Amino acid sequence: MLDRLPFLIGLRYVRAKRRNHFISFISLTSMLGLMLGVAVLILVLSVMNGFDHELRTRVLGMVPHTKIESPGGLTGWQSLAERLVERERVIGAAPYVEQQGMFSVGGRNEGAMVNGIDPAWESRVSIVDENMRQGRLDDLKEGEWNVVLGSILARRLGVGVGDRVTLLVPEASITPAGVFPRLKRFTVSGIFSVGADLDAALAYAHIEDMQTLARLGDAVGGLRLELDDLFAAGSETRAIIDELGAGYRGIDWTYSHGNLFQAIQMEKRMIALLLTVIIAVAAFNIVSTLVMVVTDKRADIAILRTIGATPRSIMGIFIVQGLAIGVIGILVGVTLGVLLALTVSDLIGWVESTLGIHFLDAGVYFISELPSRLIWSDVRNIVAAAFILTFLSTLYPAWRAARVQPAEVLRYE
């Protein structure tokens, strides 16, 4: 019976109605603090995981994992592409010609990076064909001077499929009449949208049209490679350049977007640390709760000691009480946090449609929707951290209870 005493009395103290309502209030606030801290931490980490996942699938679905280039352009790229695809980590290759320029129509001007692509090869390294909102990527045909624009870029220019735009490139054409900027009229044949900032700064044209505009002849700007593991891009790029030898250079995605992913990881760690401090504050409120309970129950402790309860049993009573308060708060917080993490995208979408506002503008942020991705290992770590903090917060009050001297207490009872 004495072995079960800490559990029986500890749980009874949790359920009992106390004469001191202030103690009950502190217990409730401690439980609510743990609940909110755990729930918010699960929600925030899920949103951060969602941003990380969306950036990997959307942005890096459009941005090459690595690029192989050569000064003056690559000739005979087909044989090089076949050679590189035979490598274990390379799952796709496609040629490209990049040209920075400015689109102009009706007095509106917008800068963009125009990628000259071969539609038959592009699907091997990009998800643009899966995100066409109007038209098809196959509508880019040699000599027709068609262009596919990002949705935000098209909206800013005020154009749609079938409209004509003028592309100005930062190179001069020397004619008998003088020096003029190089420009070409394109017809908008499609619009894509990936819900990221690339929708405002990217356009696609046929690779042979861009070769003509850039005066590259039969050469291409380089090869874009898709890898089976984007985090191996750095080592794989170095290995490819070492194999190809002098005259080639490789540029992987970490040069253009690596700082973004590092920032997300750093923000995730810092936010987790700050919210863990909130959980710690809520957990250590249990200290004040139990200290007041010990003071209030000194007579009960003395009586238990006189009938044979050991100091260890007395400690166990208050450890069980504190853990019961903490576990209830943690379990409710986990339930609430998981529900919010699974539904926050729909909730934000409903709020946006109801109020007619948009929280994330793809022209400003990399993602236009609030993503959420629940990872159960994060939930497990949060629960473990909250439980450990709760357990630590029970030790001092329990130790004080175990030091109560029955003779001194009962002398005045």
Side-chain angles (χ1 to χ4, degrees):
M1 182 65 183
L2 290 176
D3 292 337
R4 298 173 57 193
L5 189 67
F7 294 96
L8 295 174
I9 298 179
L11 294 177
R12 181 183 177 86
Y13 279 174
V14 174
R15 300 193 304 269
K17 294 182 178 179
R18 298 188 181 89
R19 290 168 295 177
N20 191 333
H21 295 290
F22 183 68
I23 298 177
S24 299
F25 176 75
I26 295 296
S27 299
L28 180 61
T29 56
S30 300
M31 192 179 299
L32 291 176
L34 278 170
M35 178 193 74
L36 292 176
V38 169
V40 170
L41 185 52
I42 291 174
L43 175 61
V44 170
L45 290 185
S46 297
V47 171
M48 296 298 291
N49 291 330
F51 272 104
D52 182 70
H53 179 262
E54 290 297 317
L55 285 172
R56 292 186 191 182
T57 55
R58 293 190 187 188
V59 176
L60 292 182
M62 301 287 288
V63 174
H65 291 176
T66 188
K67 298 189 294 186
I68 305 299
E69 300 178 344
S70 178
L74 288 177
T75 55
W77 60 266
Q78 293 90 341
S79 59
L80 179 59
E82 293 174 358
R83 176 182 170 187
L84 293 177
V85 170
E86 292 177 355
R87 297 181 62 88
E88 182 179 357
R89 287 198 174 276
V90 179
I91 59 178
Y96 70 90
V97 173
E98 283 185 346
Q99 181 67 66
Q100 186 72 40
M102 182 174 67
F103 286 103
S104 177
V105 58
R108 298 181 179 182
N109 302 299
E110 292 291 337
M113 176 66 73
V114 185
N115 281 341
I117 62 169
D118 187 333
W121 289 71
E122 188 64 17
S123 60
R124 305 178 188 184
V125 298
S126 173
I127 60 172
V128 62
D129 59 328
E130 302 171 8
N131 291 274
M132 296 294 296
R133 295 295 178 262
Q134 298 181 48
R136 298 180 307 150
L137 203 61
D138 291 337
D139 293 335
L140 298 178
K141 298 179 179 179
E142 176 191 359
E144 295 188 3
W145 298 95
N146 291 332
V147 66
V148 172
L149 303 178
S151 57
I152 298 176
L153 179 59
R155 185 174 70 245
R156 290 176 178 175
L157 290 171
V159 297
V161 174
D163 293 333
R164 294 179 66 82
V165 295
T166 300
L167 174 65
L168 293 84
V169 297
E171 295 181 11
S173 295
I174 301 176
T175 68
V179 179
F180 295 93
R182 192 179 305 174
L183 53 86
K184 184 63 182 179
R185 297 274 285 178
F186 284 83
T187 300
V188 179
S189 63
I191 295 174
F192 71 86
S193 175
V194 293
D197 70 325
L198 297 176
D199 294 340
L202 200 58
Y204 291 93
H206 195 278
I207 190 169
E208 296 195 15
D209 291 343
M210 294 306 297
Q211 284 174 318
T212 300
L213 187 62
R215 299 176 179 175
L216 290 176
D218 294 332
V220 298
L223 287 175
R224 300 173 59 185
L225 304 181
E226 179 88 0
L227 306 180
D228 61 351
D229 181 5
L230 62 91
F231 292 105
S235 58
E236 184 66 15
T237 302
R238 288 190 294 270
I240 290 173
I241 297 304
D242 290 340
E243 179 182 318
L244 296 178
Y248 294 90
R249 65 176 181 177
I251 304 173
D252 63 79
W253 66 272
T254 60
Y255 284 93
S256 57
H257 292 81
N259 58 339
L260 175 65
F261 287 87
Q262 292 172 2
I264 289 178
Q265 293 300 319
M266 179 61 70
E267 289 174 2
K268 181 179 176 180
R269 295 189 189 100
M270 294 305 299
I271 290 174
L273 178 61
L274 293 175
L275 293 178
T276 301
V277 172
I278 295 176
I279 295 176
V281 171
F284 284 111
N285 279 339
I286 296 175
V287 175
S288 57
T289 301
L290 293 181
V291 167
M292 287 186 287
V293 171
V294 169
T295 302
D296 190 54
K297 301 293 184 181
R298 284 172 62 86
D300 295 348
I301 295 170
I303 293 172
L304 288 172
R305 289 293 306 278
T306 60
I307 63 175
T310 64
R312 182 176 180 179
S313 298
I314 300 300
M315 282 192 67
I317 291 171
F318 293 96
I319 289 176
V320 168
Q321 183 183 358
L323 288 179
I325 295 172
V327 167
I328 293 172
I330 292 170
L331 290 178
V332 176
V334 168
T335 303
L336 180 61
V338 169
L339 289 176
L340 287 174
L342 295 175
T343 59
V344 65
S345 299
D346 295 331
L347 288 174
I348 294 298
W350 177 79
V351 171
E352 289 179 340
S353 62
T354 302
L355 302 180
I357 59 177
H358 203 66
F359 291 109
L360 298 177
D361 183 359
V364 178
Y365 302 98
F366 276 80
I367 300 296
S368 59
E369 300 173 355
L370 185 67
S372 177
R373 187 167 182 255
L374 182 65
I375 298 179
W376 289 106
S377 61
D378 286 344
V379 177
R380 183 183 66 244
N381 294 336
I382 292 169
V383 170
F387 183 83
I388 291 172
L389 290 172
T390 301
F391 174 74
L392 293 175
S393 68
T394 65
L395 294 180
Y396 173 71
W399 175 75
R400 284 195 56 177
R403 294 190 63 193
V404 170
Q405 299 299 322
E408 294 181 5
V409 175
L410 296 178
R411 181 184 306 166
Y412 304 102
E413 290 294 330

